[in-house]
Amino acid sequence: MMSTIDLRGRVLGVRELRHLLPRAEFDVAAAVETVRPLCEDVRHRGAEALYDLGERFDGVRPTSLRVPADVIAAALDTLAPDVRTALEESIRRARIVHEDQRRTTTTTTVAEGGTVSERWVPVDRVGLYVPGGRAVYPSSVVMNVVPAQIAEVGSLAVASPPQRENTGVFTGYPHPTVLAACALLGVDEVYAVGGAQAVAAFAYGFTDGEGEEAVVAEPVNLVTGPGNVYVTAAKRLLKGLIGIDSEAGTTEIAVLADDSADPVHVAADLISQAEHDPNAASVLVTDSPELAAAVAAAVERRVPATKHAERVRTALTGPQSGVVLVDDLERGLDVVNAYAAEHLEIQTRDASSVAARVRNAGAVFVGPYSPVSLGDYIAGSNHVLPTGGCACHSSGLSVQSFLRGIHVVDYSRSALEEVAHHVVTLSQAEDLPAHGEAVTARFDAS
């Protein structure tokens, strides 16, 4: 089912590896031109455009753009008890992990009378996007909201597409499980808006209605959360007006395994990510042809029995998925570091020491009992991670994503006087003499 790339006997650099390794095609540049008129429509027509675009793309005209408080409460009241318990545990563990990511002010004494402090300040307002296409993602509510709350962001808004399958009180609103997750987290500003238009709504803000009953959605400073290529394109288009977490593509998993790995475990994990999307990437890197064959056989057995078999088969047989054969784990580490997977599993002997040598990955899952699915839901880690090789320069969502470091410079007269001549020298070297004069003016004729 999965294609094989045989790199045995070859020592390749990063450039060659990136060229040879499977990767999903994700043409954000082309999608930008598709979403540009949609975003402009939202900019100029506001709520009216959002209603029209919801009807056009989601197949349902939202009852109102902001989800009423009683609808959010009803979603929690009708949530299945076992789902509520699982979400509460997911929230609890995410809070434990993200609490340890808090930043504190650091003050450095550079010279007597001269200090530089770095003060961490949360953004004022964020828009958190929760997708709602092929699957329902209450877990993404948790992953976006928890770090924002711990960062002490003052204002949070969630947007998720209205679901045409909804009935009763939930007609025209996002999926009830998504709304219930918002309720558990205390988020009451939720909008029934999806796709690129949601990003535009966050960026520009809008007013729905008139007079005292009008709903005013203020613009945000930062937009986070995964989405399809059009959501990503809108992020790219509007970046600068808003900050963004990343340009997330379709999900991907890489598994680095040797002959000690259980082929059934590996096959199940490759399939688990393939069920997200036909373009999802599942890659096995191994120095064991026997394991590769056993995984292939296990995949063939398991795919027909999985719920989304057609979607999974499309993903596993696509150009973005495959088996990569290497000479040894040393070469395997070269491959996975060049690939920079969103999710990387290490299923080898002494998996912890192998994992410690990974430099590029969104998240690393160590050993046979740390599958990616654990991180998707309840490990306590964040599942909003860089894709498409961006893990070589970017991090997953964290408390840090919602903070800005501000340097505070505090020098006394004597501390400034001590280095004044250096400022003058450097300002003259850059042919910017007024910079030096701004310092000497404080000491002239005084």
Side-chain angles (χ1 to χ4, degrees), residues 52-137:
D52 291 346
L53 292 168
E55 187 169 24
R56 174 180 168 189
F57 292 110
D58 300 309
V60 57
R61 193 173 185 88
T63 309
S64 64
L65 294 178
R66 181 161 179 171
V67 182
D70 61 335
V71 175
I72 296 175
L76 185 56
D77 290 341
T78 57
L79 185 65
D82 58 338
V83 178
R84 176 169 182 158
T85 299
L87 279 172
E88 288 173 338
E89 183 63 10
S90 177
I91 292 167
R92 187 185 74 82
R93 293 184 178 214
R95 282 181 172 151
I96 291 172
V97 172
H98 289 82
E99 281 281 356
D100 277 350
Q101 297 172 2
R102 284 181 179 270
R103 295 295 187 103
T104 57
T105 298
T106 301
T107 299
T108 303
T109 300
V110 182
E112 186 176 350
T115 65
V116 176
S117 302
E118 186 169 42
R119 185 161 57 92
W120 293 95
V121 181
V123 295
D124 292 333
R125 178 167 164 79
V126 299
L128 310 173
Y129 185 73
V130 179
R134 292 184 177 88
V136 180
Y137 292 104

Side-chain angles (χ1 to χ4, degrees), residues 148-386:
Q149 288 179 333
I150 290 172
E152 299 181 354
V153 172
S155 177
L156 305 177
V158 168
S160 192
Q163 304 294 301
R164 68 177 130 191
E165 297 82 6
N166 284 4
T167 58
V169 67
F170 304 115
T171 300
Y173 295 121
H175 195 282
T177 312
V178 168
L179 298 178
C182 291
L184 286 172
L185 287 157
V187 177
D188 59 6
E189 187 179 353
V190 185
Y191 296 99
V193 184
Q197 60 269 29
V199 180
F202 281 145
Y204 296 119
F206 62 88
T207 300
D208 185 12
E210 297 179 353
E212 294 183 0
E213 301 300 316
V215 171
V216 179
E218 296 290 352
V220 305
N221 308 113
L222 173 70
V223 174
T224 71
N228 63 21
V229 68
Y230 301 108
V231 171
T232 302
K235 283 184 173 182
R236 176 180 290 187
L237 177 65
L238 297 171
K239 184 179 179 180
L241 178 62
I242 52 170
I244 65 171
D245 52 348
S246 66
E247 293 186 5
T250 48
T251 191
E252 56 198 25
I253 178 176
V255 181
L256 177 61
D258 60 17
D259 61 4
S260 70
D262 186 321
V264 173
H265 294 174
V266 176
D269 294 349
L270 296 173
I271 290 169
S272 73
Q273 294 305 297
E275 78 173 338
H276 273 287
D277 191 282
N279 291 316
S282 296
V283 177
L284 168 63
V285 181
T286 183
D287 61 351
S288 171
E290 294 77 17
L291 176 73
V295 170
V299 166
E300 288 289 356
R301 290 194 304 271
R302 296 180 71 89
V303 168
T306 195
K307 179 178 181 180
H308 303 294
E310 183 177 351
R311 186 189 307 165
V312 169
R313 187 174 293 275
T314 300
L316 293 179
T317 56
Q320 72 276 12
S321 298
V323 176
V324 181
L325 293 175
V326 294
D327 290 309
D328 50 38
L329 287 181
E330 194 70 29
R331 298 282 79 79
L333 278 165
D334 290 341
V335 168
V336 297
N337 278 319
Y339 185 71
E342 177 188 19
H343 310 98
L344 173 62
E345 290 187 358
I346 306 296
Q347 298 202 36
T348 65
R349 295 178 184 83
D350 199 9
S352 294
S353 65
V354 174
R357 298 179 61 197
V358 172
R359 295 182 57 80
N360 300 326
V364 182
F365 300 82
V366 184
Y369 299 105
S370 303
V372 168
S373 299
L374 178 68
D376 282 343
Y377 297 117
I378 212 157
S381 57
N382 205 292
H383 78 199
V384 182
L385 301 167

